[in-house]
Amino acid sequence: MNKKKLTELLAEESIVLLKNQEGLLPLSTEKTLAVFGRSALVTYVSGNGSGAAKGSRSSNITLELERAGYSLCQTLRAFYQSMRSSEPGNLHEEFDFSQGDAVGNSGLMYEIFGRYHGPEPEYDVPEKELRQAARETDTAVLVIGRNSGGEECDRHLQDDYLLTEKEKELADRVCRSFAHVALVLNVNGLVDLAWTRQYESLKSILFLGLPGEGGARALARLIKGEASPSAKLAFTIPVHYEDCPSADHFSWQKERDDRILTYEDYGLDPKENGSAGFARSPVTVYQEGMFNGYRYFDTFHREVLYPFGHGLSYTTFDIQVAGMRRQKEGVEFQIVVLNTGGFSGKEVVQLYVVPAKRKPGLPARELKGFEKTPLIKPGEKTLLTIRLPWKELAHYDEAAAAWKLYRGGCRVELATGGRGKYICQIEVMEDLLIEQCQAALSLKSCNEGRLDFLEKEQTENLQDNLDEKVPVFVLFPEDVQGIFKNSGTAADEGGIVDESGPAADGRTAANSRIAVDSRAVDGGRAIDVADFRDEELAALCVGYGPGIPFAAFSDTEFPKTVFDTEGQPLTENDHPAGYDGYVSPAIRKRGISSVFYQDGPAGVGKTVWPSQMLLACSFNRTLLYEFGNAVGAECEEKSIDVWLAPALNLHRNPLCGRNFEYFSEDPFLTGVCGCAVIRGVQENHKVMACPKHFAVNEQETYRRGSSKKQFDAVDSILLPGTARELYLKPFEMAVKEGGVSCIMTSFNKINGTFAGGNRDLCTQILRNEWGFRGFVVTDWGDMDIVVDGADAVAAGNDVVMPGGPPVIRQILDGLRQGRVTREQLECAAANLLGVIVRAG
């Protein structure tokens, strides 16, 4: 499939039909359309920051509707064209992270480019043009656009999530002037839709998101009926922002220091939490615990506008269970989907687990399986197979530091949007140990008992909710013996393992012998890192480049590496395409070549792909795999070795400035999407995917603090069970099922410790429990407020980016001070070089 077709198909299968009263859509091309909204002509196809993308072609909704054969009200179209022509070419110049240069090689860029800009002002449509359009047709398409927030900056509530006054006025005038209105949401996140309830004329709503360069054409095809919508929401659309459980625990007003939540707002002491000497110490408390997104709304029976998993079609389906079979590692379901309507279409079948006896901190239902059908013609049917592994029924017991199947079991619910029907019951006769872990990511002792996290007792009786008797599968202890084992006890081929067990500091001890093939060294000889000088090892633990903010604009030439006793540089950049600050260093005499990294989740600067937020709505593993395959090919064309994507953080709050860059509020869906993309890249190309931002990085505001204001980096405070079951799960899936060899840590703190310097995260969980055998790289930024280079390496974060001489000095200082050991330096270098070998 060529890239043009793929960009259109990805968008087509991801655009969600939220509402379609009276079957307004599809629209006949015999209809004249009145098209309103600035974004109909200036259609947003990509986000900003590292989630931005640039491509060779662009289009817009107005143009594609015309190309699809619709007649548009020409007076109105001429008005919009004239308004657009009078605007500057780019009202808000964004730094293009996908291109990278010395400007973007340090964290100070966030002080410059990480400033909030709101939505572009909506045009004031003259009454004359509106009345003329209303005389020509009774059907209008209203487009609302958003591309606010982004890197280091969250969105605003007023005039952003909530419509601006001009948008409200335009929506009111359109809905009162036309009998049939279709609303298109060309947005980089959620916007308030409560207002749509008051207009009877507003018949249809389409969530377009940021659809990539093929999105406008895909939308036109759906409106015309050349294809039927088949997407489902990967997130919940609440009635009001305040309904979200995180609303009171999320800081977004970067311009108002007094509105930034701090330790003091929760009765906590900054100094006790390791944040001393700062003007302000921001926090974001995950007070909602496990109840994020639909887990909250379903458990607490709160009304929503459109639930997770919702999405309409132009046709109808009948879903029946054809059979179910118990297997050693779970249950396999056979589902028959029959198209009972008049359009060819696709359906998404979803499986949810509903605990029979819920503990107070656990949600009422969780997505644990799904499949999307192929295209089904009217009257025809297809058979789907969905597998539910026993491991997906497990929960993390914080007191025991273990994964368990709890006594009582669960019911399995089959749904296609919203609540469904129970199809079987799984009974667990007693608590079953699945995996024994080690306590990690715990609350700091000074915070124990001082924070209240959300809980909910089970009050409903599941027996009362059964329409009929369902099959029962019973699990005894012997049924799971030998199936599960602790991760990380055996090395993958080429991995680095000390057979005597973990080193004293919790890191895997370094085996200093690494086989390197001809791509890494001439002749395929072995490299013995044990004979590397300290300075060489430290230099391999950072990126190559000056590591100085805006060095490219200075008259002074800053060194890009350190020098040996003879004044010769220890390292260099020998990559044919990689630029300083985005490459690892080469040491030619050691046979080590540079590795080139590049952003981002929406592409590498050749094609504008749909954003991850939209792609997740496709619920289509196969398409996501093809997306990864296509991006992998583009990486090879540009000689990129490591693609800094996908982004595996969750939607926690609608105002997060990078929700467009993240797949979903659900960890299972996020993990499935991420694994499909990763495999598409790595199974077809000599390119590594690098999931980010590890971990618990759901707030952009002061995620890395501010050296200008002397603000500390935000501390994400949460329970370890919440971290493991929700926010770490997509990364765990990427390691165990996606096969990643590179992971990027985040800037923020987790329970008082920087993610990049967190041994619990980077070593105990990632390596010892999950069995990760790759290398860990920091996010790109100077080490002024975020983690010290020596502390990062000691914790298991192998490469500090962009690094350069300043961080080399940090590491060598830490070595002299005993904060990092020689063995840990060897281990970090070995982890990087070992992956380079296997990737070759």
Side-chain angles (χ1 to χ4, degrees):
M1 185 184 307
N2 64 53
K3 287 192 293 185
K4 178 178 180 295
K5 178 62 177 176
L6 182 57
T7 60
E8 294 172 6
L9 186 58
L10 284 165
E12 182 181 297
E13 290 214 17
S14 302
I15 297 169
V16 187
L17 179 60
L18 298 177
K19 177 180 179 181
N20 198 27
Q21 288 183 346
E22 301 174 12
L24 175 63
L25 300 180
L27 291 170
S28 168
T29 52
E30 295 180 1
K31 280 276 189 183
T32 298
L33 301 181
V35 181
F36 292 88
R38 180 182 183 276
S39 291
L41 200 61
V42 189
T43 303
Y44 295 119
V45 297
S46 177
N48 43 48
S50 62
K54 293 183 178 180
S56 58
R57 70 185 188 99
S58 62
S59 187
N60 61 66
I61 294 170
T62 297
L63 179 60
E64 293 301 338
L65 287 173
E66 289 180 322
R67 287 175 174 172
Y70 290 102
S71 295
L72 306 188
C73 298
Q74 290 303 305
T75 303
L76 185 62
R77 193 196 191 297
F79 161 75
Y80 275 100
Q81 189 63 59
S82 67
M83 293 297 293
R84 173 55 180 160
S85 299
S86 66
E87 287 183 342
N90 191 346
L91 299 182
H92 294 285
E93 186 67 35
E94 289 285 342
F95 178 74
D96 185 2
F97 286 72
S98 72
Q99 301 306 314
D101 56 26
V103 178
N105 289 343
S106 74
L108 189 60
M109 64 183 173
Y110 301 117
E111 302 277 1
I112 306 301
F113 298 103
R115 296 175 180 173
Y116 175 79
H117 64 81
E120 305 295 353
E122 189 53 77
Y123 301 144
D124 293 314
V125 180
E127 187 67 18
K128 177 182 177 181
E129 276 71 9
L130 188 143
R131 289 183 179 275
Q132 175 61 33
R135 285 193 291 269
E136 295 179 29
T137 182
D138 65 353
T139 304
V141 175
L142 171 62
V143 184
I144 290 178
R146 283 292 181 279
N147 202 15
S148 51
E151 198 92 13
E152 198 74 13
C153 196
D154 293 302
R155 295 173 57 206
H156 283 195
L157 181 59
Q158 297 292 337
D159 297 326
D160 189 345
Y161 177 84
L162 300 175
L163 300 194
T164 67
E165 289 303 315
K166 285 189 174 182
E167 288 171 334
K168 293 176 186 177
E169 180 185 350
L170 178 62
D172 182 72
R173 293 171 67 202
V174 170
C175 290
R176 293 184 187 280
S177 301
F178 297 85
H180 305 99
V181 179
L183 173 65
V184 176
L185 302 170
N186 176 209
V187 291
N188 68 333
L190 299 184
V191 294
D192 174 53
L193 293 179
W195 62 273
T196 62
R197 290 178 160 185
Q198 63 183 296
Y199 297 107
E200 186 178 342
S201 62
L202 206 165
K203 308 293 186 184
S204 299
I205 304 176
L206 285 155
F207 183 87
L208 176 64
L210 301 178
E213 61 186 54
R217 177 171 170 76
L219 175 69
R221 282 175 47 81
L222 292 175
I223 290 175
K224 187 178 179 180
E226 292 180 350
S228 175
S230 62
K232 305 289 184 178
L233 285 177
F235 37 85
T236 304
I237 299 181
V239 179
H240 303 290
Y241 170 76
E242 293 76 15
D243 297 336
C244 300
S246 62
D248 293 333
H249 305 278
F250 185 90
S251 298
W252 50 269
Q253 288 181 284
K254 198 172 182 180
E255 305 79 16
R256 291 281 305 274
D257 294 351
D258 60 317
R259 298 292 180 90
I260 304 300
L261 293 168
T262 64
Y263 291 106
E264 291 89 346
D265 290 307
Y266 293 89
L268 307 179
D269 188 326
K271 292 183 180 179
E272 290 181 349
N273 280 275
S275 182
F278 292 95
R280 206 165 187 85
S281 300
V283 300
T284 179
V285 176
Y286 287 57
Q287 187 270 346
E288 69 277 6
M290 289 283 292
F291 303 106
N292 181 51
Y294 73 88
R295 286 168 167 76
Y296 169 76
F297 293 103
D298 287 350
T299 304
F300 290 84
H301 305 292
R302 299 291 192 263
E303 180 190 13
V304 299
L305 276 179
Y306 300 104
F308 175 92
H310 167 78
L312 303 178
S313 171
Y314 294 154
T315 190
T316 55
F317 298 94
D318 179 68
I319 315 295
Q320 298 294 332
V321 179
M324 55 187 77
R325 182 177 61 178
R326 177 175 180 150
Q327 298 177 323
K328 182 178 180 181
E329 296 187 357
V331 182
E332 179 182 276
F333 298 91
Q334 301 290 325
I335 311 294
V336 173
V337 182
L338 172 67
N339 187 339
T340 57
F343 277 82
S344 295
K346 299 183 178 184
E347 180 61 294
V348 177
V349 178
Q350 306 157 42
L351 287 185
Y352 293 84
V353 166
V354 180
K357 184 179 181 181
R358 191 172 66 248
K359 292 182 178 292
L362 299 182
R365 63 199 289 265
E366 297 181 285
L367 180 73
K368 294 298 180 180
F370 67 86
E371 286 295 338
K372 190 169 192 175
T373 70
L375 188 68
I376 309 174
K377 295 180 180 179
E380 296 187 358
K381 60 186 177 182
T382 193
L383 181 68
L384 295 179
T385 299
I386 305 179
R387 293 177 178 85
L388 176 62
W390 304 132
K391 66 178 182 179
E392 289 298 337
L393 310 182
H395 291 285
Y396 186 75
D397 184 331
E398 292 179 359
W403 289 93
K404 293 180 178 180
L405 292 181
Y406 287 130
R407 182 176 180 273
C410 65
R411 301 199 185 279
V412 178
E413 175 190 324
L414 179 69
T416 57
R419 300 306 293 261
K421 62 180 181 180
Y422 294 128
I423 59 173
C424 83
Q425 178 178 339
I426 300 172
E427 289 189 1
V428 180
M429 304 311 294
E430 60 183 88
D431 287 357
L432 302 179
L433 176 66
I434 298 301
E435 180 181 350
Q436 183 62 55
C437 303
Q438 178 176 308
L441 299 183
S442 302
L443 290 175
K444 292 185 77 71
S445 59
C446 60
N447 298 337
E448 290 283 356
R450 302 174 73 176
L451 294 167
D452 293 321
F453 293 94
L454 193 59
E455 293 187 344
K456 175 71 160 66
E457 294 283 357
Q458 180 174 312
T459 56
E460 64 269 27
N461 185 346
L462 288 183
Q463 291 290 344
D464 297 337
N465 295 331
L466 287 175
D467 296 329
E468 57 187 25
K469 290 185 177 180
V470 297
V472 178
F473 299 96
V474 181
L475 273 180
F476 294 95
E478 56 267 26
D479 295 325
V480 297
Q481 286 179 359
I483 297 177
F484 306 103
K485 62 181 180 179
N486 286 348
S487 302
T489 57
D492 294 337
E493 183 178 352
I496 303 164
V497 173
D498 178 1
E499 295 181 356
S500 64
D505 67 352
R507 291 199 68 181
T508 304
N511 177 343
S512 63
R513 301 293 300 182
I514 305 171
V516 182
D517 69 8
S518 58
R519 183 173 178 180
V521 60
D522 292 338
R525 61 185 175 84
I527 294 178
D528 187 347
V529 298
D531 69 357
F532 279 36
R533 295 171 52 199
D534 292 345
E535 291 80 6
E536 289 177 307
L537 291 173
L540 286 172
C541 292
V542 304
Y544 180 85
I548 300 293
F550 301 101
F553 298 110
S554 173
D555 293 333
T556 303
E557 184 165 338
F558 294 94
K560 299 176 181 180
T561 184
V562 293
F563 298 83
D564 61 22
T565 55
E566 298 178 357
Q568 297 300 312
L570 282 181
T571 61
E572 61 181 308
N573 174 7
D574 71 348
H575 200 280
Y579 23 80
D580 296 348
Y582 278 83
V583 295
S584 62
I587 306 179
R588 290 196 180 186
K589 67 180 182 180
R590 298 287 190 179
I592 300 170
S593 296
S594 295
V595 171
F596 178 26
Y597 309 78
Q598 188 161 315
D599 278 311
V604 293
K606 294 182 71 68
T607 302
V608 183
W609 299 100
S611 70
Q612 289 189 183
M613 180 181 186
L614 186 66
L615 287 175
C617 296
S618 73
F619 279 74
N620 191 323
R621 290 177 174 87
T622 302
L623 268 184
L624 287 162
Y625 181 93
E626 290 303 322
F627 163 62
N629 183 17
V631 174
E634 293 186 338
C635 287
E636 285 189 327
E637 291 172 17
K638 298 184 69 173
S639 299
I640 296 166
D641 302 301
V642 182
W643 178 43
L644 300 176
L648 298 183
N649 302 100
L650 302 186
H651 297 199
R652 177 181 172 235
N653 186 284
L655 300 186
C656 176
R658 295 177 79 175
N659 276 348
F660 69 91
E661 200 171 336
Y662 306 147
F663 287 114
S664 173
E665 67 188 35
D666 182 77
F668 178 78
L669 177 58
T670 296
V672 170
C673 292
C675 287
V677 174
I678 290 164
R679 287 195 294 264
V681 173
Q682 297 187 164
E683 290 177 2
N684 301 288
H685 309 281
K686 290 186 176 181
V687 176
M688 287 176 278
C690 180
K692 61 182 184 180
H693 310 84
F694 189 53
V696 201
N697 176 198
E698 280 73 34
Q699 175 179 301
E700 284 298 297
T701 299
Y702 295 121
R703 62 175 180 149
R704 67 175 308 281
S706 170
S707 55
K708 180 179 179 181
K709 290 187 174 183
Q710 280 302 295
F711 281 14
D712 199 358
V714 68
D715 188 0
S716 297
I717 301 176
L718 76 172
L719 294 171
T722 300
R724 286 179 179 266
E725 293 204 36
L726 296 188
Y727 300 98
L728 299 190
K729 183 177 177 66
F731 294 95
E732 181 180 9
M733 293 173 69
V735 171
K736 294 181 176 180
E737 302 171 29
V740 295
S741 297
C742 179
I743 284 182
M744 180 198 292
T745 53
S746 53
F747 286 132
N748 57 286
K749 295 181 178 181
I750 304 174
N751 289 333
T753 303
F754 282 109
N758 195 313
R759 183 177 290 119
D760 280 358
L761 184 71
C762 299
T763 295
Q764 175 54 38
I765 293 176
L766 180 61
R767 297 187 188 277
N768 297 347
E769 293 181 18
W770 296 353
F772 180 70
R773 290 295 177 264
F775 71 99
V776 182
V777 60
T778 67
D779 202 344
W780 267 241
D782 16 294
M783 302 295 108
D784 49 355
I785 292 192
V786 294
V787 64
D788 176 90
D791 295 338
V793 174
N797 201 130
D798 306 298
V799 179
V800 180
M801 291 300 255
V807 182
I808 295 175
R809 288 191 288 271
Q810 283 184 352
I811 294 171
L812 293 174
D813 287 344
L815 181 64
R816 286 189 289 270
Q817 296 163 6
R819 290 186 291 113
V820 64
T821 67
R822 165 78 190 197
E823 182 183 45
Q824 289 167 339
L825 291 180
E826 289 182 7
C827 182
N831 286 333
L832 171 65
L833 297 178
V835 169
I836 293 173
V837 171
R838 296 198 298 275

